[in-house]
Amino acid sequence: MPNSESISFDNTELAYKHLSRKELNHTTKLYKLLNQRSLVSLGTAMTEIAMKIHLPITPFVKPIIFDHFCGGETLAETKKLVNKLATYDMGVMLNYGVEAIKSEKGFDQTLAINTEAVEYAAENPTVQVV
């Protein structure tokens, strides 16, 4: 793993070398779309409306947005990407995000998932937990 002094966020060749040509084309198109504020505002508003009326949005959001910015919905899914990136000498930072937990059960589940991630990171030098 490179040390923090040698990391450059300008090195897009390094950042995207794990992507196939098809994945790289998808990424380029996605970034071009996300750079259009009016389109992002429209998409955000439509997503909020769809969620309020309980329309299924996962089939649309997951392959377009989620899969690009997230490693997976579970640690098991994320481990696949961690292993792939490790073959390119790339490390990862795990961050479990969950929305508005308001119950003891929810807190306990979040604690268990974060504990599992920390234990995984302790065994894997390419992983950090934030």
Side-chain angles (χ1 to χ4, degrees), residues 8-71:
S8 169
F9 291 104
D10 296 324
N11 189 341
T12 56
E13 181 180 352
L14 176 64
Y16 296 108
K17 70 180 180 180
H18 67 286
L19 297 178
S20 67
R21 184 169 300 277
K22 180 179 178 182
E23 291 168 323
L24 193 54
N25 286 336
H26 171 77
T27 299
T28 301
K29 290 174 187 173
L30 178 61
Y31 284 154
K32 285 180 180 179
L33 290 172
L34 292 176
N35 201 33
Q36 298 181 29
R37 290 179 192 246
S38 59
L39 187 58
V40 171
S41 295
L42 178 63
T44 301
M46 290 174 56
T47 301
E48 289 173 0
I49 291 168
M51 289 175 66
K52 284 180 183 176
I53 60 175
H54 305 288
L55 290 176
I57 63 167
T58 302
F60 304 102
V61 174
K62 190 166 187 214
I64 297 170
I65 305 290
F66 180 90
D67 286 348
H68 180 75
F69 293 103
C70 300

Side-chain angles (χ1 to χ4, degrees), residues 96-114:
Y96 175 66
V98 65
E99 306 297 327
I101 294 178
K102 296 180 181 175
S103 69
E104 191 68 31
K105 182 179 177 183
F107 287 119
D108 290 344
Q109 181 180 9
T110 299
L111 177 61
I113 291 169
N114 280 302

